[in-house]
Amino acid sequence: MRGPMTISASILNADFARLGDEVRRADAGGSDSVHLDVMDGHFVDNLTFGPVVAAAIRPHSTLPFHTHLMITHPLAYAERFARAGSDLVIFHVEADDDPDAVIDAIVAAGRRPGIALNPETDASVVLPYLARVDLLLVMTVNPGWGGQAFMPEVMPKLRELRAEVDRRGLSLEIGVDGGINLDTIGDARDSGGEVMVVGSALYSTDGDLAPTVAALRDAALRDAALRAERSAERT
Ligand code: DX5
Ligand code: ZN
């Protein structure tokens, strides 16, 4: 069944000149985890950072680090990000390596595995791996950049995956990544999401992130209550 909602702060749109401070803002603002977007210029067009930077910011936070590998060869890097202090290492099912081998490598490095799928990838592609991962990350933008618009057309797939996870009684969490803000978090939550990855909606604000984190939690609850009310009126 759907577990509690958590907020994972994506630093992709943070100020890269002061990443340590930006990660501290996520901690101080009440985020539940930090989301590190790693891009290799092949799997996606953009480039971000590698394990050296991940290790450098690790001491600035006590939160779990979720590393989202948008890279073609996750097998070659899983262990390096594990050593850099990533608690959870997420790779894409569309990457070139065998997903079972990547999961094995993450587990062998003593970390928790997660698997991500792009908006256009069918739910059936990840089903064989659900029992082996701790997080299923459903992309609601095409990966590559922060600040893109949430794709509501992914919600039927999210609901389908939620139903499958529940049907099989699996304990993994479902994350939603891309375009999550005050207007979209309700949809993502209502469709079965638990770990809400939030980038630009957090880091476009200066100073204390706590009011935005609180507003996001409220928006998810408020929207759910409204929807329940509306569906009760219809019956
Ligand atoms: C997209 C990344 C996301 C994204 C989140 O490639 O995986 O984590 O940057 O940022 P927003 O919330 O701005 O979409
Ligand atoms: Zn991400």
Side-chain angles (χ1 to χ4, degrees), residues 10 12 35 37 39 68 70 139 141 143-148 177-180 197-200:
S10 160
L12 184 59
H35 181 97
D37 285 306
M39 305 183 188
H68 178 191
M70 286 159 275
M139 296 303 300
V141 297
W145 280 270
Q148 302 182 76
D177 186 6
I180 299 285
V197 179
V198 188
S200 48

Side-chain angles (χ1 to χ4, degrees), residues 15-203:
D15 180 352
F16 272 37
R18 3 180 325 271
L19 266 190
D21 292 341
E22 292 290 69
V23 166
R24 285 175 189 275
R25 279 216 289 157
D27 270 57
S31 300
D32 301 293
S33 58
V34 177
H35 181 97
L36 309 184
D37 285 306
V38 175
M39 305 183 188
D40 66 351
H42 294 281
F43 185 78
V44 294
D45 188 49
N46 200 3
L47 281 161
T48 53
F49 53 82
V52 171
V53 172
I57 57 177
R58 181 62 278 190
H60 293 270
S61 170
T62 57
L63 293 175
F65 273 16
H66 296 179
T67 297
H68 178 191
L69 299 178
M70 286 159 275
I71 66 178
T72 303
H73 292 296
L75 193 52
Y77 291 92
E79 202 210 325
R80 282 182 251 187
F81 279 100
R83 266 192 275 125
S86 306
D87 300 279
L88 205 139
V89 180
I90 307 158
F91 66 98
H92 270 260
V93 71
E94 303 89 357
D96 278 1
D97 298 325
D98 171 31
D100 279 311
V102 183
I103 293 168
D104 287 345
I106 297 166
V107 172
R111 305 303 190 184
R112 301 164 70 218
I115 196 162
L117 79 169
N118 284 335
E120 71 276 9
T121 301
D122 200 79
S124 62
V125 179
V126 288
L127 297 185
Y129 311 106
L130 293 185
R132 300 201 61 207
V133 295
D134 291 302
L135 181 78
L136 167 65
L137 190 66
V138 176
M139 296 303 300
T140 42
V141 297
N142 285 309
W145 280 270
Q148 302 182 76
F150 181 82
M151 297 168 70
E153 59 270 35
V154 177
M155 292 304 98
K157 180 172 75 178
L158 175 53
R159 283 194 291 273
E160 184 186 340
L161 285 163
R162 171 85 263 156
E164 179 65 12
V165 167
D166 291 349
R167 191 185 66 76
R168 289 164 63 182
L170 299 172
S171 60
L172 78 163
E173 288 184 292
I174 298 184
V176 186
D177 186 6
I180 299 285
N181 57 35
L182 292 175
D183 296 325
T184 58
I185 195 166
D187 242 12
R189 177 66 177 150
D190 208 39
S191 300
E194 290 157 326
V195 181
M196 300 298 170
V197 179
V198 188
S200 48
L202 282 177
Y203 283 103

